[in-house]
Amino acid sequence: MSKVCELTGKRPIVGNNVSHSNRKTKRRFLPNLIKKKFYIPELDKTVTLKVSTKALRTIDKLGLYAYLKKLQKQGKSIPVKL
């Protein structure tokens, strides 16, 4: 299963672990993803999405339906048919 937010598109990035002696080894920074069920009363649907915590905060602020409309207006693909 991929570690990508379905709404924001956040994905793992690559960086370095740096030791005290300044040796560098590759590592991955993983996004903070949560699998969550959402109910959309406007569509009378329940959807399960894998979202980042940043997307969750935005959903709490705007509401899921408004956030999906905003993403659709920006031209991003959304996993729910509106």
Side-chain angles (χ1 to χ4, degrees):
M1 199 179 277
S2 65
K3 295 176 180 354
V4 178
C5 175
E6 294 180 6
L7 299 179
T8 61
K10 283 184 174 235
R11 52 183 51 243
I13 58 174
V14 178
N16 289 313
N17 277 332
V18 181
S19 69
H20 181 69
S21 63
N22 209 25
R23 294 182 84 165
K24 293 160 184 81
T25 55
K26 287 288 185 188
R27 65 162 290 184
R28 292 175 77 197
F29 292 93
L30 301 176
N32 189 5
L33 297 179
I34 295 169
K35 192 173 183 180
K36 184 160 173 56
K37 279 187 182 179
F38 294 100
Y39 176 69
I40 307 171
E42 292 87 353
L43 302 176
D44 197 35
K45 273 188 188 177
T46 302
V47 292
T48 302
L49 298 172
K50 189 190 294 187
V51 294
S52 63
T53 52
K54 182 180 178 180
L56 268 179
R57 286 171 54 104
T58 309
I59 290 168
D60 285 344
K61 185 177 179 181
L62 300 176
L64 181 60
Y65 190 72
Y67 186 52
L68 291 173
K69 290 292 255 186
K70 181 180 174 184
L71 290 176
Q72 191 177 36
K73 188 177 178 184
Q74 291 175 354
K76 296 184 180 175
S77 64
I78 55 174
V80 180
K81 195 166 205 161
L82 298 180

